Amino acid sequence: MLDKRLEDAFNDQINKELYSEYLYLGMKAIFADLNLPGFVNWFDVQVQEERAHAMGMFDYVFERNGKVVLEAIDRPDIKGSTPLEVFEQVLEHEEYVTSRINALMDVAEEVKDRAALSFLDWYLKEQVEEESSVGGVLANLKLIGDDKKALFMLDKELAARVFNPPVIG
Ligand code: OFO
C-alpha cells in the first residue's frame, strides 16, 4: 500500500508527464507549421515517450494498490517560435521535470518506501538521457544560427529518431 503523501505525489507527477506530452504536441505543431518534418518526427517520439512515462506511473500506483486521481491538464505554455527558442524551452522543461522526479524521490525517502525509490531510479536515469539528447540538439541549433542549409541537414538527422517503447521500472 502506498503512503497517502506518496500517492498524492505520484498523481501530481502523472499530471506533469501528461502536461509534458501536451506541451510537446504543441511544439510538434509549431514545427509542422515551419515545414520541418524531421523536427515533427522528433516531437512525435517525444510525445509518445511522455505518454509512456505517465502510464508507467499510472500502472505502478495501481500495482501498489493506490488510487489514481486525474486532474486537468494545463494549456501548453509555449514561449518561442523559432527552433532555437523552442529547444531552449524543452531543455528548461526537462530540467524542471528532473527536479520534480527528485522531489518525488524525496517523498519516497521520507516515508521510507524503498520499492518506490527503486522504481523511480529508472525515471532519474531517463531524465539524464533526455537532458543530454535535448542539450545536443540545442548545441547544434546554436552552431547553425541562420544557416538554412545546416538546419535542413539537422532536420534530416532528426527524422531518423524512432520510438522504442520503454521498459519502465
Ligand atoms: Fe517524462 O520526462 Fe523527460 O520529460
Side-chain angles (χ1 to χ4, degrees):
M1 189 76 182
L2 277 179
D3 179 281
K4 178 75 173 102
R5 266 184 69 207
L6 187 55
E7 183 183 276
D8 289 348
F10 264 110
N11 276 313
D12 185 57
Q13 189 58 34
I14 289 169
N15 183 274
K16 288 191 164 53
E17 298 293 342
L18 291 172
Y19 174 78
S20 299
E21 178 188 9
Y22 208 28
L23 177 71
Y24 294 143
L25 197 56
M27 290 175 170
K28 176 180 161 176
I30 289 181
F31 285 100
D33 270 349
L34 292 171
N35 287 314
L36 289 166
F39 281 87
V40 169
N41 174 66
W42 193 94
F43 277 97
D44 195 42
V45 172
Q46 199 68 16
V47 163
Q48 293 178 76
E49 288 203 346
E50 296 307 338
R51 168 57 63 97
H53 297 167
M55 291 315 296
M57 288 188 186
F58 186 102
D59 293 341
Y60 185 71
V61 171
F62 276 123
E63 195 183 340
R64 296 289 308 276
N65 298 319
K67 191 172 160 62
V68 169
V69 179
L70 295 178
E71 299 291 346
I73 301 166
D74 288 342
R75 178 176 175 274
D77 180 20
I78 301 172
K79 296 182 180 87
S81 55
T82 67
L84 180 63
E85 287 166 348
V86 171
F87 267 85
E88 276 169 346
Q89 188 178 354
V90 174
L91 184 58
E92 197 180 286
H93 181 70
E94 287 301 331
E95 286 169 352
Y96 169 69
V97 172
T98 301
S99 77
R100 297 319 305 163
I101 298 287
N102 275 316
L104 180 53
M105 292 180 91
D106 285 347
V107 177
E109 222 159 56
E110 280 159 31
V111 302
K112 299 192 176 10
D113 191 327
R114 293 196 176 83
L117 275 173
S118 133
F119 171 76
L120 287 167
D121 247 352
W122 182 90
Y123 283 85
L124 210 50
K125 286 185 195 123
E126 174 73 0
Q127 283 309 118
V128 171
E129 278 178 28
E130 295 221 314
E131 284 187 29
S132 156
S133 83
V134 171
V137 178
L138 186 57
N140 280 330
L141 286 169
K142 282 182 180 162
L143 278 175
I144 284 171
D146 292 331
D147 183 345
K148 292 249 175 342
K149 213 163 160 183
L151 183 63
F152 177 78
M153 296 309 291
L154 178 60
D155 188 64
K156 286 258 168 276
E157 201 182 297
L158 299 186
R161 188 183 187 197
V162 286
F163 175 63
N164 295 309
V167 180
I168 298 177

